[in-house]
């Protein structure tokens, strides 16, 4: 139904306007118990103990969460949770409100099952997001932190630290986003010269808190494997809890068919799938599993979840898959995952992490 609607109607509408309408619909439906019950009955997956994941000191009903960027301000969390995502990443949130880049800045590549975006962290800012998060769903909530565009790189730590401290009471895990391609120079923070100081400063900020919560780094897919190894070494040195691999890519894999492939920005969706899976595998190998990975990039199905888990991810996330598959993504992908587990004789997901 969603695929039919998407092909014949939704794909003709402006991508960012459609996204706003979907968020508003989820916010309204998710605001009342009856609406949530309806969403759950229509879309939430059937879960059982074999799908449960324990990671970062938290419990997840199954491995599929919603990736950062879909609900940047945390306005539709109850609706999104009722669709069955086992965790949701809010943000990226910047300390001060900012508009992001000029429109148009979000493009569909339907022939490639992909998106290109150059949003540039539009954010209501941390104070507003903190208010939005006062009533949050029960599922584990990750909060993605960014820096304002106007903040120079050498002052980035202050931005991340301010957002971490302001939002700390509201999240279960925190993500340092240093990998968006749409904020000038941001990805330079992944270089060892900047990263060591950033991580040391954030570790200090965490230690000043009463309750310990996990802090993860989200990395780009456009780094060399050596650069990723260096990041992992630094992350382990600074006691970072895990890595999210990966953000969108500025590369354009050969064979893209859609006209929008020429747009500037980060590419996500099917063409990113194997690139990010290989990075998950690399991190798992070079850290001997000591740095848990959340795998993201091109997850549309149970087979895609299976692939990322086998490569070494403990959890996975989707964004583009949700746009293309619609609200039944989680139910369908988790049903497919259960079928694969049954066919392979796997009784618990922890048996397969990193076995490929
Ligand atoms: C429109 C759009 C906005 C995004 N915004 C963010 C963001 O604010 N923070 C972030 O960490 N990742 C952001 N991402 C990246 C996704 O979280 C994810 O890493 C990437 O899209 C790859 O996953 P996918 O192939 O399932 O889409 C965004 C992606 C898209 C398509």
């Amino acid at each position: 139904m969603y695929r039919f609607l998407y092909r014949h109607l939704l794909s003709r509408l402006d991508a960012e306007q459609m996204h706003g309408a979907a968020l508003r619909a989820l916010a309204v439906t998710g605001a009342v118990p009856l609406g949530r019950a309806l969403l759950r009955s229509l879309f939430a997956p059937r879960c059982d103990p074999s799908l449960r994941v324990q990671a970062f000191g938290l419990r997840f009903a199954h491995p599929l969460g919603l990736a950062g960027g879909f609900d940047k301000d945390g306005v539709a969390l109850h609706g999104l949770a009722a669709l069955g995502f086992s965790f949701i990443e809010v943000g990226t949130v910047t300390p001060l409100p900012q508009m992001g880049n000029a429109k148009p800045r979000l493009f569909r590549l339907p022939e490639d099952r992909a998106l290109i975006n150059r949003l540039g962290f539009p954010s209501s800012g941390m104070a507003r997001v903190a208010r939005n998060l006062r009533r949050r769903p029960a599922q584990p909530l990750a909060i993605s932190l960014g820096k304002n565009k106007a903040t120079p790189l050498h002052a980035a730590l202050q931005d991340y630290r301010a957002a971490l401290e302001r939002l700390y009471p509201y999240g279960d895990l925190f993500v340092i986003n240093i990998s968006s391609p749409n904020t000038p120079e941001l990805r330079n923070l992944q270089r060892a010269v900047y990263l060591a100081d950033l991580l040391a400063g954030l570790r200090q900020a965490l230690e000043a808190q009463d309750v310990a919560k996990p802090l993860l780094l989200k990395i780009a897919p456009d780094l060399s494997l050596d650069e990723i190894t260096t990041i992992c070494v630094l992350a382990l040195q600074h006691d970072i809890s895990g890595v999210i691999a990966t953000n969108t890519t500025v590369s354009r894999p050969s064979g893209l068919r859609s006209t929008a492939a020429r747009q500037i920005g980060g590419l996500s969706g099917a063409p990113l799938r194997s690139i990010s899976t290989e990075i998950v595998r690399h991190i798992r190998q070079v850290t001997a599993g000591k740095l848990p990975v959340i795998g993201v990039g091109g997850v549309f199905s149970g087979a895609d979840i299976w692939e990322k888990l086998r490569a070494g991810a403990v959890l996975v996330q989707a964004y583009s898959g949700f746009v293309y598959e619609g609200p039944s993504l989680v139910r369908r992908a988790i049903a497919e995952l259960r079928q694969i587990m049954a066919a392979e004789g796997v009784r618990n997901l922890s048996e397969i992490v990193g076995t490929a």
Side-chain angles (χ1 to χ4, degrees), residues 19 66-70 72 89-93 105-106 113 115-119 121-122 144 175-180 182 218-219 244-249 266-273 276 296-300 317-323:
H19 180 257
L66 179 64
F70 194 89
K72 288 177 184 283
E89 185 175 333
V90 174
T92 296
V93 187
R105 54 192 184 172
L106 175 58
R113 306 211 344 128
L115 300 168
I116 288 178
N117 91 84
R118 49 169 181 267
L119 297 181
F121 290 168
S144 169
V175 184
I176 303 302
N177 182 0
I178 47 175
S179 48
S180 165
N182 303 312
K218 184 162 178 179
I219 64 167
I244 302 191
T246 67
N247 214 312
T248 56
T249 176
L267 173 74
S268 58
L272 180 60
R273 196 192 88 225
S276 73
V296 52
V299 171
F300 288 71
Q317 295 175 314
Y319 186 133
S320 305
F322 184 36
V323 171

Side-chain angles (χ1 to χ4, degrees), residues 13-32 39 70-80 103 322:
L13 306 172
D14 172 77
E16 194 168 347
Q17 278 176 357
M18 257 300 301
H19 180 257
L23 260 189
R24 279 191 296 279
L26 280 166
V28 170
T29 322
V32 289
L39 289 178
F70 194 89
D71 189 356
K72 288 177 184 283
D73 294 329
V75 294
L77 297 177
H78 289 281
L80 289 164
K103 295 179 184 174
F322 184 36

Side-chain angles (χ1 to χ4, degrees), residues 114-149:
L115 300 168
I116 288 178
N117 91 84
R118 49 169 181 267
L119 297 181
F121 290 168
S123 173
S124 299
M126 62 185 183
R128 179 61 193 262
V129 175
R131 278 204 298 281
N132 294 345
L133 297 185
R134 277 190 296 207
R135 278 194 65 249
R136 49 155 282 192
Q139 279 96 329
L141 188 73
I143 304 182
S144 169
L145 311 173
K147 76 164 194 71
N148 279 110
K149 184 177 178 184

Side-chain angles (χ1 to χ4, degrees), residues 269-294:
L272 180 60
R273 196 192 88 225
S274 56
I275 302 173
S276 73
T277 301
E278 287 316 307
I279 292 176
V280 170
R281 197 187 314 281
H282 177 74
I283 299 172
R284 172 87 184 176
Q285 275 166 6
V286 293
T287 64
K290 288 197 198 97
L291 201 55
V293 187
I294 300 180

